[in-house]
Amino acid sequence: MISIQNLAVRFGGFTLFEGISVMITEQEKIGLVGRNGAGKSTLLKIIAGIEESSEGEVIKPSNARVGYLPQQMESSDGKTVMNEMRSAFGDIIHIQKRIDECNTILTTRTDYESDEYLQIIQEVSELSEQLSIHGIDSLEGDAERMLLGLGFERTDFDRNTSEFSGGWRMRIELAKLLLQKPEILLLDEPTNHLDIVSIQWLEQYLTQYKGIIILISHDRAFLDAITQKTFEISLQKLTSYPAPYSKYLQLKDERYEQQIAAYENQQKMISDTEKFIERFRYKATKAIQVQSRIKQLDKIERIEVEKKDIGTLKIAFPPAPRAGSVVLKTHNLTKKYGDKTILKNVNLVIERGQKVALLGKNGEGKSTCIKAILKEIDHEGTITLGHNVELGYFAQNQDEILDNTISVFETLDAIAVGEIRTKVRDILGAFFFSGEDVDKKVRVLSGGERNRLAMAKLMLQPYNLLILDEPTNHLDIQSKAVLKEALQKYDGTVILVSHDRDFLEGLTTHIYEVKQTQIKEVIGDLHTYLNNIQAEEIRSQKKEEIQTSKKNKEQNTYSIKKEQEREIRKIKTSISRIEQEIEHIEEQIHTLNTLFIEQAEQATAEHFQTHAELQEQLQIKTHTWENLVEKLTEIEL
């Protein structure tokens, strides 16, 4: 359980949010939403204990483990992927190492009845119980499943982390975090670096997660699938809605209408009160009533309503010039990097007006195909653009290649020609840049603002083929909705790479899967493709479970055999020791028997007492010896 009490964050004279009080119960899954800059990431960091609030506190159970994934983080190098995963359960490995040390000590010691020997056995028992709680037997298998689910191949496990891009390193950090299974899981845009296949896997994993999840995401489908509650930060306050994102929007609209009505009623009351004050301000007979109304106004808590301007703005791409019926055609397109084949004999025909999605795991060749079409890389085979095709391209890193030294307005004005120069401000306004925003330097823009500016550049020329590589990166849900509507109305051809299922749904007319050097059309819609992936994942998982079960069985057989060998050694050592003790007792009894026979006159009562005690010891030792021999026989059989 998490208790947030009267939380506030202030920077100088600026208040980010204040008066946040909310209770989060066990296993609740919550979507944290709000406009960019509302304070979502800050709140997550405060809950994680990374940042401090100006006021209030966050109360968590002292033994609750908190896992936090930021949007960007530094990852370490120098280890293989699997060894980096193992570092996530270093404490558990330390426990296992200590158990192994103790077992080694037990096999070499013979003081079975000593306090120190019993203490070691007790330590092994306690440590083994800890491992059982953590699920030590499944950790290695869990690590493999998480890496495979997040898009890694088995051949990647022994590669150094330094060989991977930043996006893939973030996947490693996410996998490590999930492997630790913290009671409180805080995720800030976890799908940013994932492909559509990995997102679907993560979604299924998180829906079954046993613990609290607080999630920031611009992926509507992801939020709907995982969360049952939505926290919205707006106007410096937090409002809780008992519903996932799509239902939250409906509830918010209902609340908005109520707020508007309350706001209008309050404004009318304020206006009427101010008129009364102004009318009777200087009349002595009304002085008391005027002062009362003034105090009444001062005490009023003014209702604020967040503007809904972003949802009303529209953008439209210029009409596409008429192109030939076939816009793009490839014949035996092949691309190799050294000995590695990325694409092999790919044959595509894309026709005018189609909106095509290229889907598949990262690294399968989507970006390679686009680069080949753009003539950015050499390749085998041919790529032919149709008659009168004018190609516009939005790169995945388009926001990074903008000129940071110029302003928003100058970015578009520098490439605008002819009459379009008179419409630059209108175009910028359509992409939510207005007033002083147009004079901002590009370097101070957020990731979402940079993406919108890069998209605006595509508006300056009437293209009839748009190639868009992850155009929704860094865009909030409202901006993505506006862009999606514009593309739906666009009368040209679109080739789109995206991992956002909600963005793709209802936008694409054709789906092509990039997989194992081939690009093949999917028969059906996006749901068909996702269902096929899920079915394949289930088959793969079952196969993996069979292999893991076989591996575990072999490991268990080996472990049982080693345990039996240790037990046999221990029993044989005990038997050997008891046999020596029996032999010693028998020698003592034989000496006394000789005394009783040959020197009876010297035998005393003490001799007879000792003889009786030795006989009793011999009986006990013999019985113990018989039990050990019987136990040894059972184990060896």
Side-chain angles (χ1 to χ4, degrees):
M1 181 179 293
I2 303 173
S3 176
I4 300 176
Q5 300 179 358
N6 199 33
L7 212 63
V9 172
R10 296 186 176 90
F11 305 103
F14 171 74
T15 298
L16 184 62
F17 52 71
E18 61 183 355
I20 291 180
S21 295
V22 69
M23 191 77 72
I24 301 170
T25 59
E26 293 182 1
Q27 299 194 27
E28 277 197 316
K29 296 178 174 64
I30 297 165
L32 182 58
V33 304
R35 292 186 177 181
N36 291 341
K40 302 186 297 294
S41 295
T42 300
L43 179 58
L44 220 58
K45 291 175 184 176
I46 292 173
I47 297 174
I50 296 172
E51 292 187 2
E52 295 184 357
S53 61
S54 305
E55 294 177 10
E57 60 181 341
V58 176
I59 302 173
K60 306 185 292 283
S62 58
N63 60 344
R65 295 170 300 151
V66 180
Y68 169 63
L69 183 80
Q71 290 190 37
Q72 299 291 339
M73 67 187 301
E74 293 183 3
S75 53
S76 57
D77 290 331
K79 294 181 180 178
T80 65
V81 171
M82 185 54 73
N83 283 338
E84 185 63 31
M85 289 292 292
R86 293 188 181 107
S87 70
F89 44 88
D91 292 343
I92 299 176
I93 292 177
H94 177 74
I95 293 173
Q96 181 65 64
K97 184 178 180 181
R98 177 57 185 164
I99 291 176
D100 293 339
E101 291 174 352
C102 290
N103 284 330
T104 301
I105 292 172
L106 290 174
T107 59
T108 58
R109 298 183 65 136
T110 58
D111 54 335
Y112 306 110
E113 299 176 3
S114 69
D115 291 342
E116 189 175 350
Y117 189 90
L118 294 176
Q119 286 174 359
I120 296 174
I121 291 178
Q122 180 66 23
E123 183 182 0
V124 171
S125 176
E126 292 175 353
L127 292 174
S128 298
E129 186 175 352
Q130 291 183 36
L131 288 186
S132 177
I133 293 173
H134 287 289
I136 181 63
D137 294 333
S138 63
L139 281 177
E140 198 81 10
D142 286 347
E144 291 184 2
R145 281 191 292 275
M146 286 176 185
L147 288 172
L148 293 171
L150 291 174
F152 290 90
E153 302 290 341
R154 289 191 176 277
T155 52
D156 294 328
F157 293 176
D158 294 325
R159 293 174 58 192
N160 195 292
T161 57
S162 61
E163 299 178 31
F164 293 88
S165 66
W168 283 97
R169 292 188 193 183
M170 284 295 291
R171 294 190 190 208
I172 296 173
E173 296 302 322
L174 174 58
K176 286 167 57 180
L177 189 63
L178 298 179
L179 190 62
Q180 294 168 354
K181 299 178 182 177
E183 286 78 15
I184 301 171
L185 187 59
L186 311 174
L187 304 174
D188 194 348
E189 295 289 355
T191 64
N192 270 357
H193 304 284
L194 302 182
D195 53 55
I196 197 168
V197 180
S198 301
I199 290 174
Q200 193 170 30
W201 177 89
L202 179 61
E203 179 182 289
Q204 293 169 353
Y205 180 85
L206 293 180
T207 54
Q208 304 298 321
Y209 193 79
K210 305 298 183 183
I212 291 173
I213 297 177
I214 305 178
L215 169 67
I216 299 174
S217 178
H218 290 156
D219 188 324
R220 179 171 178 161
F222 193 67
L223 286 169
D224 279 342
I226 296 169
T227 63
Q228 304 100 19
K229 183 179 288 188
T230 301
F231 286 172
E232 180 194 44
I233 301 180
S234 174
L235 297 174
Q236 304 174 347
K237 303 294 182 183
L238 185 144
T239 304
S240 176
Y241 293 84
Y245 186 82
S246 292
K247 180 64 176 176
Y248 139 79
L249 290 178
Q250 299 175 20
L251 296 175
K252 182 182 178 181
D253 282 342
E254 294 172 6
R255 184 171 181 269
Y256 180 78
E257 295 302 324
Q258 295 169 357
Q259 283 181 316
I260 287 293
Y263 173 80
E264 291 175 348
N265 288 335
Q266 187 183 70
Q267 289 299 306
K268 183 178 185 305
M269 186 272 290
I270 291 172
S271 176
D272 291 344
T273 302
E274 288 175 342
K275 288 179 181 177
F276 179 89
I277 293 171
E278 186 63 28
R279 181 179 178 184
F280 299 109
R281 180 184 298 273
Y282 303 107
K283 289 190 177 183
T285 56
K286 297 287 187 178
I288 295 176
Q289 293 94 323
V290 168
Q291 289 302 316
S292 176
R293 299 292 176 92
I294 291 174
K295 291 178 180 179
Q296 181 183 355
L297 282 183
D298 291 339
K299 292 179 180 179
I300 288 177
E301 184 175 345
R302 303 297 175 108
I303 297 173
E304 292 184 272
V305 180
E306 187 173 27
K307 294 180 181 180
K308 295 183 66 175
D309 53 351
I310 194 166
T312 63
L313 293 174
K314 306 292 182 181
I315 61 173
F317 289 93
R322 182 78 173 177
S325 58
V326 175
V327 173
L328 175 70
K329 183 176 182 180
T330 72
H331 178 68
N332 290 342
L333 172 61
T334 300
K335 179 59 184 178
K336 299 178 180 179
Y337 291 100
D339 296 331
K340 184 175 179 60
T341 300
I342 305 299
L343 299 173
K344 183 177 180 180
N345 295 333
V346 172
N347 296 297
L348 293 176
V349 176
I350 297 176
E351 298 179 354
R352 183 180 61 240
Q354 291 181 345
K355 293 182 173 65
V356 175
L358 293 182
L359 304 181
K361 293 182 178 180
N362 287 351
E364 289 284 359
K366 301 189 297 294
S367 294
T368 298
C369 179
I370 288 176
K371 289 178 180 178
I373 294 172
L374 297 170
K375 300 180 180 180
E376 292 182 358
I377 57 174
D378 296 329
H379 57 84
E380 300 176 32
T382 60
I383 299 176
T384 306
L385 293 179
H387 172 70
N388 200 35
V389 169
E390 295 290 337
L391 191 156
Y393 174 51
F394 181 93
Q396 186 170 351
N397 64 335
Q398 189 75 46
D399 63 307
E400 298 175 6
I401 58 179
L402 295 171
D403 188 343
N404 286 322
T405 64
I406 61 177
S407 70
V408 170
F409 178 83
E410 290 169 340
T411 299
L412 265 61
D413 188 60
I415 58 175
V417 294
E419 186 180 346
I420 197 69
R421 295 195 65 182
T422 63
K423 299 180 180 180
V424 167
R425 290 187 181 274
D426 293 336
I427 294 173
L428 287 173
F431 283 89
F432 320 133
F433 293 104
S434 59
E436 296 179 354
D437 291 340
V438 300
D439 296 320
K440 286 182 179 178
K441 294 294 185 183
V442 171
R443 64 172 173 268
V444 304
L445 300 181
S446 67
E449 289 173 328
R450 295 168 71 93
N451 251 29
R452 294 203 303 269
L453 180 58
M455 189 63 67
K457 292 177 65 177
L458 288 179
M459 306 284 289
L460 298 182
Q461 185 171 340
Y463 300 111
N464 48 28
L465 171 60
L466 292 178
I467 298 181
L468 310 177
D469 191 358
E470 298 290 1
T472 64
N473 276 358
H474 307 295
L475 293 184
D476 57 35
I477 295 176
Q478 294 94 332
S479 298
K480 287 194 289 187
V482 173
L483 175 60
K484 178 178 178 178
E485 183 178 353
L487 288 173
Q488 287 173 323
K489 295 179 178 179
Y490 175 60
D491 59 352
T493 306
V494 179
I495 300 176
L496 175 65
V497 175
S498 176
H499 62 255
D500 192 310
R501 292 162 295 175
D502 184 67
F503 185 72
L504 293 170
E505 179 67 32
L507 173 59
T508 58
T509 61
H510 296 72
I511 295 175
Y512 286 84
E513 182 179 32
V514 186
K515 182 179 179 181
Q516 297 176 350
T517 75
Q518 298 295 306
I519 301 180
K520 296 182 178 179
E521 185 171 4
V522 175
I523 305 302
D525 58 9
L526 181 64
H527 289 292
T528 302
Y529 171 72
L530 294 176
N531 289 337
N532 290 342
I533 291 176
Q534 190 170 8
E536 184 178 339
E537 180 67 25
I538 292 173
R539 288 193 296 270
S540 177
Q541 186 175 350
K542 287 183 177 179
K543 182 178 179 181
E544 186 73 24
E545 287 174 354
I546 293 172
Q547 293 175 343
T548 302
S549 176
K550 182 179 178 182
K551 181 180 178 181
N552 290 339
K553 185 176 181 180
E554 293 173 351
Q555 290 176 341
N556 289 338
T557 301
Y558 176 78
S559 299
I560 292 172
K561 183 178 179 181
K562 298 299 291 184
E563 182 62 32
Q564 287 178 340
E565 291 175 353
R566 282 196 295 268
E567 187 68 15
I568 288 172
R569 287 197 301 269
K570 181 180 175 180
I571 294 173
K572 286 183 176 180
T573 300
S574 298
I575 290 174
S576 176
R577 177 176 60 82
I578 292 177
E579 286 176 345
Q580 291 175 6
E581 292 173 353
I582 289 174
E583 184 179 354
H584 180 64
I585 292 172
E586 288 176 338
E587 288 176 354
Q588 289 179 288
I589 291 175
H590 177 71
T591 299
L592 288 174
N593 286 338
T594 301
L595 174 65
F596 294 153
I597 295 172
E598 298 179 357
Q599 300 174 350
E601 69 282 357
Q602 296 182 11
T604 64
E606 185 177 349
H607 286 139
F608 284 103
Q609 178 65 30
T610 301
H611 187 274
E613 291 175 353
L614 289 171
Q615 287 286 5
E616 185 178 354
Q617 290 179 24
L618 178 62
Q619 184 178 1
I620 293 172
K621 295 292 182 183
T622 301
H623 181 69
T624 301
W625 179 86
E626 290 173 349
N627 288 338
L628 287 171
V629 170
E630 182 179 352
K631 186 175 182 180
L632 178 63
T633 302
E634 291 176 356
I635 293 176
E636 289 182 331
L637 288 176

